Amino acid sequence: METKPPLPPFTLETAKIKVQAAEDAWNTRDPDRVALAYTEDSEWRNRSEFFSGRPAIKEFLKRKWAKELDYRLKKELWCFMDNRIAVRFEYEWHDDAGFWYRAYGNENWEFASNGLMMRRFASINDVPIQESERKFRWERT
């Protein structure tokens, strides 16, 4: 059985580790790597899209990062209990015309006993920003 430590039930320390691991993985913008954190039948709601399973997750992430260029994410632990974690986040990206956006949102996560996420529900809002208003700058990889 595949596992993804830390495993539930979470403590403050292990919940923070789980959130940082998710931030790090998403910032790779690698759908194959990111999808490995989810169960084979993981259920998702992202904005107005509902889907399940790793293949659908990978396809969603490919579409997302084809549109959201130079994506950079920051996550913050909001609360946790047993096998659940809630985070708030913000990320920045630009479209192919060069317009920048900052997205704000909340996610509710539920984990299987092996540490893989079996449910992810995300509510997200985008705000147009000027390039000069960006918070998250990094070297291109």
Side-chain angles (χ1 to χ4, degrees):
M1 177 200 260
E2 60 185 317
T3 61
K4 189 79 165 173
L7 307 178
F10 298 110
T11 64
L12 177 58
E13 179 183 342
T14 60
K16 286 180 176 180
I17 290 169
K18 202 69 151 175
V19 170
Q20 187 62 57
E23 177 183 308
D24 293 345
W26 278 67
N27 279 324
T28 67
R29 298 180 306 271
D30 179 346
D32 293 321
R33 176 179 171 187
V34 172
L36 293 176
Y38 302 92
T39 61
E40 291 286 346
D41 60 350
S42 184
E43 297 175 32
W44 278 39
R45 179 181 61 78
N46 196 88
R47 299 177 192 257
S48 61
E49 291 188 60
F50 295 79
F51 51 93
S52 62
R54 279 189 188 161
I57 292 167
K58 287 180 190 179
E59 286 308 309
F60 167 81
L61 293 172
K62 287 176 187 175
R63 282 194 336 268
K64 173 184 180 62
W65 291 321
K67 174 188 173 194
E68 297 178 357
L69 306 175
D70 291 326
Y71 172 97
R72 178 71 173 151
L73 167 74
K74 296 296 282 178
K75 289 186 182 283
E76 178 186 359
L77 175 65
W78 188 251
C79 64
F80 69 95
M81 185 176 79
D82 301 324
N83 70 331
R84 295 180 176 178
I85 295 175
V87 299
R88 61 185 204 166
F89 62 87
E90 58 185 328
Y91 65 86
E92 294 175 347
W93 59 279
H94 68 84
D95 62 19
D96 58 4
F99 293 102
W100 281 91
Y101 301 87
R102 185 173 303 121
Y104 297 94
N106 300 293
E107 291 177 325
N108 296 313
W109 301 342
E110 185 176 0
F111 293 86
S113 60
N114 64 356
L116 296 176
M117 195 181 302
M118 59 185 183
R119 290 188 184 86
R120 176 191 173 268
F121 304 115
S123 298
I124 307 167
N125 299 297
D126 294 315
V127 177
I129 61 171
Q130 297 297 314
E131 197 279 339
S132 61
E133 297 175 293
R134 290 177 51 211
K135 292 182 181 180
F136 312 131
R137 298 181 184 268
W138 70 100
E139 296 296 320
R140 286 183 179 228
T141 56

